[in-house]
Every structure is written in C-alpha cells, then in structure tokens.
C-alpha cells in the first residue's frame, strides 16, 4: 500500500499538533493549586536574590538550574500569581510540540511522522509538567531543540548554521536544564567521532529520504573548527563553570543530597552484578519510560517493545548515525546511573529529556510492525495505534477534569 497522500498526512499532523497544544492549554487553564514541590521551589525563587539562586544551595531540599530559578523570580516580579509562575513551563510545553513536529517533518516519512508526533503530544507526564512551575517542561523543550539541531546537522552536514546554533544553545542550555548535559555531550561525541562531519556524508538512509550532501572542501575548514574545537570547548567551559558555581555547593549540602539520593535510589543499579539485567528490564518497562502512558511493574512494556523494534528497524535499514544520535543520550544516562550520578528511570519527569528520541524510535518500530501484516493488516494496525493514542489524549482531559471537579 502506498503512503498516505500528502494532503491527508498534513491534516493528520495538523490535527495532532492542535490536540497536543489544546491539551496543554486546557491543563494550564484548569489552574490547579501549587503542589508541595512547586511551592517550595517558588518560595526559594521569591525569597532569595539572584546571586544566591546562582550559587545555591536551595532551601527545603530543592534543586533546580540557576537560570530557571532566575526566570521564576522574574515572573514573580512581573505577575506574582500562579498563572505567571507557571507560564514558562506552559510556553516550553507548547514550543516542544512545534519543535518536535518540525523534527518529524525533517527526519521521518508517512505514518512514522504522525505516530511519533502523537506519542509525543499525547503523553501524560509532558502535559502535566507543562502546567507546573518546575523545570521538567523546559528540560523537554531544550532536549527537543538540541535533537532538532542534531537532526539538521545529520541530514545536512555541509551547512554551518546548525553547528553555529549548537555552539550557542548547548552551553547556555546547561544553565536552564541540567539534563541537557546528556544530549549535548552525545551531540559533541557524535560530531567529533563522525568522519562525515568533516569530509561529507553519503545518503543517510532509505528510511529518511535525506539528500546526498557532501561538504565543499573550500568551506570545510570553518565547520571543522566549529566541530572539533569551538563546540566542545564551549560546552566543557560552560559545564565546568556550572559545576563550580552551582552544583558543587549543592553537593556539599548533606540534607539536600541525602534526600535526593533516597528519591533516586530505584534509578540506580543494585550492588550485585548478577541482578543488573533484571534491574535494567524493570527500569526499561517501568515508570521512567511511560510514553505515552505506563507505570511500575512492567506497565510500560508496550513502550519498550515498540522502542526495541524501532532500534532493530534502524539497524536493519542502515540508519547507524541516526541510531547513535537517538541512543547515545540514553547510554550516557545509563553510565551516569552506574556511577550513581543520576538515576536511570524511576520517575519519568527526571528523564523527560529522552522523550523525542523514544517517540521517534517507537514510531519507526510501529511502522515496521504494521508492514509485517500486509496491506490490509497495515491499515488495521495503524488504525488501532491511532485510536489508542487518541484514547490516551482524551483520557488525559477526562482525568484532569475529574481531578479539578473534586
């Protein structure tokens, strides 16, 4: 069966984007009271000066990036009410949907586009965090922005603009979102290790339809300088400055660190190496990977299966560089968990930055599965998946309305 006609695909994509935006706006409009963590974080932003917010540590066991706290303090000065304090998270949530739609348009084709966008737009936790004065929605927005720039660089290695933007965005993003360190480090490693980054690139794959772009030797020097020197140097300098100015004082605060390590405990591997495979399986199928929905005790198994099928499909169709782009942040996160620096799974909001990569791989896996059933089976599979994602979106709205009416 041929792919859906462009006009129909555009209507699908527009409808999914609109639904994702409306769900975030409706959740924000229901105006839930500040929950405990929000209230503590906002209190820190309101009662501390800009210098104290930059240097930390925060009171009430809170941890947040310094420039996000500056943003909350500025919102308090401008508006001072809950609507204004939550506005940055809402704008980040709305922006994430637009950015991811653009990423899907560049990278995917046909049903992969709207399946990935539907997973991303209808997932419960991103919608929830878009209405809370916490940094998690900004984590997702900045990770989506960096992933978009990485995709642009992957598909069009001859262009210097994505690299130039990465040199600006990635070092600054660390101060708004700690977790962008995983995405930025992955991009830096990918750019530095890829031979095509400086000598041109063959056609990326049959799946993405990316053009065969090779770099002009006459202009190769500027991108090489950005790739090999400027981008990693700026990223390392920004990371070190953030560590010394902000993270190190937080680490030295024993009550805050003990509370964090207790909260993160389930995201760290057990001491016995024989238990690592079972722990990793529980993490991959647990609450940390609940896209679009899921929970502990293997309730996110469907997400894991589609993700695994997507990884296999990318490997078979030789999208190796794409696979590295999508899996390397997750691999770095896993390494951080083994070093007991940051949890792998445990709670989705802590690793929300993996959302774009997971949604893309799940969509590729879903399309691969649908093609195994022939033309008629493919249509039925796509209808079932679409209906399930729409039901998830409607369920988000229903649960929010019910909770607000209580």
């Amino acid at each position: 069966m041929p792919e859906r006609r462009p006009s129909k695909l555009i209507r699908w994509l527009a409808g999914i984007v609109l639904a994702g935006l409306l769900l975030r706006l409706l959740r924000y409009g229901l105006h839930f009271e500040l929950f405990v963590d929000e209230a503590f974080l906002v209190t820190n932003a309101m009662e501390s000066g800009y210098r104290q917010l930059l240097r930390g540590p925060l009171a009430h066991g809170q941890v947040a990036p310094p420039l996000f706290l500056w943003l909350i303090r500025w919102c308090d000065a401008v508006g001072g009410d809950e609507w204004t304090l939550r506005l940055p998270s809402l704008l980040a949530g709305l922006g994430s949907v637009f950015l991811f739609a653009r990423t899907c348009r560049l990278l995917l084709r046909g049903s992969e586009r709207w399946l990935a966008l539907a997973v991303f737009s209808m997932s419960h936790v991103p919608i929830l965090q878009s209405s809370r004065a916490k940094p998690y929605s900004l984590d997702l927005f900045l990770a989506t922005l960096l992933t978009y720039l990485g995709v642009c660089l992957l598909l069009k290695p001859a262009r210097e603009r994505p690299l130039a933007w990465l040199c600006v965005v990635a070092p600054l993003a660390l101060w708004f979102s700690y977790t962008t360190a995983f995405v930025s480090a992955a991009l830096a490693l990918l750019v530095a290790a890829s031979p095509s980054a400086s000598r041109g690139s063959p056609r990326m794959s049959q799946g993405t339809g990316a053009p065969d772009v090779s770099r002009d030797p006459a202009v190769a020097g500027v991108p090489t300088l950005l790739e090999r020197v400027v981008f990693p140097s700026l990223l390392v300098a920004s990371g070190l400055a953030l560590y010394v100015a902000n993270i190190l004082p937080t680490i030295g605060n024993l009550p805050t660190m003990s509370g964090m390590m207790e909260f993160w405990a389930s995201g760290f591997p057990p001491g016995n190496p024989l238990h690592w495979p079972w722990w990793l399986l529980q993490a991959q199928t647990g609450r940390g990977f609940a896209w679009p929905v899921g929970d502990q005790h293997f309730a996110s198994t469907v997400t894991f299966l589609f993700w695994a099928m997507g990884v296999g499909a990318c490997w078979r169709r030789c999208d190796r560089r794409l696979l590295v782009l999508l899996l390397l942040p997750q691999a770095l996160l896993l390494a951080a968990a083994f070093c007991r620096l940051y949890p792998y799974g445990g709670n989705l909001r802590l690793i929300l930055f993996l959302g774009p990569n997971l949604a893309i791989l799940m969509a590729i896996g879903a399309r691969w599965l649908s093609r195994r059933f022939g033309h008629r089976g493919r249509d039925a599979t796509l209808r079932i998946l679409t209906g399930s994602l729409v039901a998830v979106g409607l369920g988000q709205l229903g649960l929010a309305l019910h909770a607000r009416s209580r």
Side-chain angles (χ1 to χ4, degrees):
M1 185 183 108
E3 292 289 346
R4 297 181 182 274
R5 291 175 297 178
S7 59
K8 193 170 185 178
L9 179 61
I10 290 172
R11 289 197 296 271
W12 271 104
L13 293 174
I16 294 169
V17 169
L18 182 61
L21 298 177
L22 286 176
L23 285 171
R24 285 156 176 78
L25 288 169
L26 286 170
R27 180 80 193 194
Y28 176 80
L30 289 174
H31 194 50
F32 287 89
E33 294 181 357
L34 291 175
F35 79 109
V36 176
D37 257 6
E38 278 185 290
F40 283 153
L41 190 66
V42 169
T43 300
N44 275 283
M46 293 169 60
E47 295 181 352
S48 304
Y50 287 103
R51 183 176 180 181
Q52 176 62 29
L53 294 175
L54 178 65
R55 295 181 60 85
L58 303 178
H60 310 296
Q62 295 296 300
V63 177
L67 292 193
F68 175 78
L69 293 168
W70 282 17
L71 186 58
I72 294 297
R73 181 173 173 79
W74 180 79
C75 288
D76 176 62
V78 171
D81 57 12
E82 295 174 10
W83 295 99
T84 311
L85 294 170
R86 286 170 165 169
L87 188 58
S89 294
L90 173 66
L91 295 178
L94 299 177
S96 299
V97 175
F98 281 116
L99 268 176
F100 190 68
R102 178 64 178 169
T103 305
C104 292
R105 183 175 178 273
L106 285 177
L107 185 64
L108 304 175
R109 63 178 184 176
S111 56
E112 289 177 354
R113 290 181 181 176
W114 54 263
L115 283 171
L117 189 55
V119 169
F120 187 89
S121 301
M122 302 296 172
S123 292
H124 170 63
V125 175
I127 295 172
L128 178 65
Q129 295 302 326
S130 295
S131 63
R132 289 184 170 178
K134 296 285 285 184
Y136 304 117
S137 186
L138 196 59
D139 289 347
L140 182 59
F141 171 76
L142 290 171
T144 307
L145 175 58
L146 291 169
T147 302
Y148 169 72
L149 293 174
V151 167
C152 291
L153 187 62
L154 203 63
L155 299 182
K156 300 178 180 179
R159 297 185 63 181
E160 297 83 17
R161 185 173 296 178
L163 269 173
W165 274 110
L166 277 175
C167 290
V168 174
V169 172
L172 183 62
L174 293 173
W175 295 76
F176 283 96
S177 166
Y178 294 136
T179 57
T180 56
F182 295 105
V183 185
S184 297
L187 288 171
L189 291 172
L190 179 64
V191 166
S194 175
S196 61
S198 60
R199 295 192 290 272
S201 172
R203 185 184 182 112
M204 183 178 160
S205 76
Q206 300 173 359
T208 61
D212 184 3
V213 182
S214 296
R215 181 162 288 169
D216 183 357
V219 297
V222 174
T224 302
L225 180 65
L226 292 176
E227 294 161 358
R228 311 293 184 183
V229 180
V230 177
F231 178 40
S233 298
L234 289 174
L235 194 60
V236 170
S238 180
L240 286 175
L242 178 65
Y243 180 79
V244 172
N246 181 260
I247 297 177
L248 198 57
T250 301
I251 294 175
N253 187 283
L254 294 180
T256 298
M257 284 305 299
S258 61
M260 285 175 55
M261 297 303 288
E262 183 179 352
F263 178 57
W264 291 354
S266 62
F268 294 136
N272 188 345
L274 296 177
H275 298 160
W276 288 352
W278 180 247
W279 166 81
L280 185 58
L281 178 63
Q282 287 181 308
Q284 288 285 162
T285 58
R287 185 177 298 164
F289 293 87
W291 289 82
V293 290
D295 209 330
Q296 299 289 68
H297 308 300
F298 307 102
S300 300
T301 299
V302 174
T303 299
F304 170 70
L305 292 175
F306 279 116
W307 172 85
M309 286 187 283
V311 171
C314 282
W315 183 266
R316 280 187 292 272
R317 70 190 197 188
C318 297
D319 283 352
R320 306 294 165 78
R321 291 179 65 212
L322 172 62
L323 203 54
V324 172
L325 174 68
L326 298 178
L327 290 182
L328 192 51
Q330 193 168 340
L332 293 175
L333 175 65
L334 184 59
F338 273 95
C339 296
R340 306 189 75 82
L341 298 174
Y342 198 80
Y344 186 85
N347 195 302
L348 178 55
R349 68 177 187 265
L350 298 177
I351 57 172
L352 207 57
F353 69 95
L354 292 178
N357 304 6
L358 294 173
I360 289 169
L361 287 171
M362 287 176 66
I364 293 173
R367 185 173 181 272
W368 176 86
L369 178 65
S370 70
R371 292 170 68 89
R372 307 280 76 78
F373 297 109
H375 292 173
R376 292 183 179 179
R378 184 189 313 176
D379 267 353
T381 303
L382 292 175
R383 288 193 188 102
I384 291 172
L385 292 173
T386 304
S388 300
L389 291 169
V390 170
V392 168
L394 293 175
Q396 306 299 315
L397 179 58
L399 288 174
L401 291 172
H402 175 71
R404 192 68 183 91
S405 64
R406 293 176 63 182

